Amino acid sequence: QDLSGSITTPDVKLNLGGEFIKESTATTFLRQRGYGWLLEVEDDDPEDNKPLLEELDIDLKDIYYKIRCVLMPMPSLGFNRQVVRDNPDFWGPLAVVLFFSMISLYGQFKVVSWIITIWIFGSLTIFLLARVLGGEVAYGQVLGVIGYSLLPLIVIAPVLLVVGSFEVVSTLIKLFGVFWAAYSAASLLVGEEFKSKKPLLIYPIFLLYIYFLSLYTGV
């Protein structure tokens, strides 16, 4: 007796959200034996598609605004300077400290690590002193304010290169830069809660920026 016929691929359809999608024999075979997970495709997570700056929590507009607040500390200019203290960040002050380290190199790369160390532990000293005096300030806030307030020393650095041969003028510019940096930092950190104890916090801030300047000038 002549037997003939044909074997066709089963037409298997998968119901996904009301739509029928045709599956191949291999797909059906894997699903029947519990290996269907090999064929699953994960949906893209929106969290994985964030820009790099957003992933690192870097807000360039916020950093630029804080830089202007530090460089122009006069209240009459209308800047909300308290944002430097109340909304601290890490990358902005770190960039300022690293830039100050770069211009302080003079071929001595060890200066970079030394300046970063002074920034971290100098800020810690100011923080501990502020807490002892009764100030309500966090270490992150002090770290950000001290770091951003190095900007005046960066501004006077190219001027010192030009007038370096004039000792009197150079000294006056250095004093101006230190007072500028110390005033910018102290006006943010030294609040009304210190009252008569303000000099006890302003003085070490002033000394800290003198030390930073000495690392740049080599004095």
Side-chain angles (χ1 to χ4, degrees):
Q1 188 176 5
D2 186 14
L3 299 177
S4 63
S6 62
I7 300 176
T8 59
T9 303
D11 189 10
V12 180
K13 296 183 179 180
L14 179 66
N15 186 359
L16 293 176
E19 296 183 359
F20 289 94
I21 301 175
K22 184 177 180 180
E23 282 190 345
S24 65
T25 305
T27 302
T28 305
F29 178 81
L30 290 174
R31 290 189 186 279
Q32 289 176 349
R33 283 156 180 78
Y35 296 101
W37 56 270
L38 292 172
L39 305 171
E40 293 178 358
V41 179
E42 294 185 0
D43 295 332
D44 292 335
D45 188 354
E47 296 293 328
D48 297 334
N49 298 325
K50 288 183 178 180
L52 179 60
L53 292 180
E54 189 175 345
E55 284 285 346
L56 296 176
D57 197 22
I58 299 175
D59 189 341
L60 296 179
K61 292 182 179 180
D62 181 59
I63 292 174
Y64 174 64
Y65 185 81
K66 290 177 180 177
I67 288 174
R68 291 194 297 168
C69 290
V70 170
L71 291 179
M72 293 176 281
M74 289 73 70
S76 58
L77 295 177
F79 289 111
N80 180 21
R81 301 187 66 246
Q82 288 301 316
V83 72
V84 181
R85 169 178 169 171
D86 297 338
N87 186 26
D89 65 290
F90 176 74
W91 297 108
L94 179 62
V96 174
V97 172
L98 287 177
F99 188 65
F100 181 73
S101 302
M102 291 297 107
I103 66 174
S104 303
L105 277 178
Y106 290 117
Q108 301 178 11
F109 287 96
K110 61 183 180 181
V111 175
V112 178
S113 60
W114 187 240
I115 289 177
I116 293 176
T117 301
I118 295 302
W119 170 49
I120 293 174
F121 287 98
S123 298
L124 179 60
T125 302
I126 300 299
F127 163 70
L128 293 175
L129 184 58
R131 297 293 290 188
V132 168
L133 295 176
E136 295 296 329
V137 63
Y139 176 60
Q141 293 175 324
V142 178
L143 198 67
V145 170
I146 296 297
Y148 273 118
S149 296
L150 274 174
L151 285 167
L153 299 186
I154 295 175
V155 171
I156 68 169
V159 181
L160 291 176
L161 293 176
V162 176
V163 300
S165 57
F166 303 97
E167 186 174 349
V168 177
V169 178
S170 178
T171 301
L172 291 175
I173 292 176
K174 291 175 184 177
L175 289 174
F176 172 73
V178 170
F179 275 109
W180 184 4
Y183 173 77
S184 186
S187 61
L188 290 168
L189 293 177
V190 182
E192 292 299 325
E193 66 267 24
F194 292 101
K195 297 181 180 179
S196 61
K197 300 176 182 178
K198 287 183 179 181
L200 295 177
L201 192 60
I202 294 175
Y203 181 65
I205 291 174
F206 180 73
L207 291 180
L208 181 61
Y209 285 106
I210 288 180
Y211 193 71
F212 273 123
L213 183 63
S214 70
L215 292 174
Y216 167 72
T217 59
V219 178

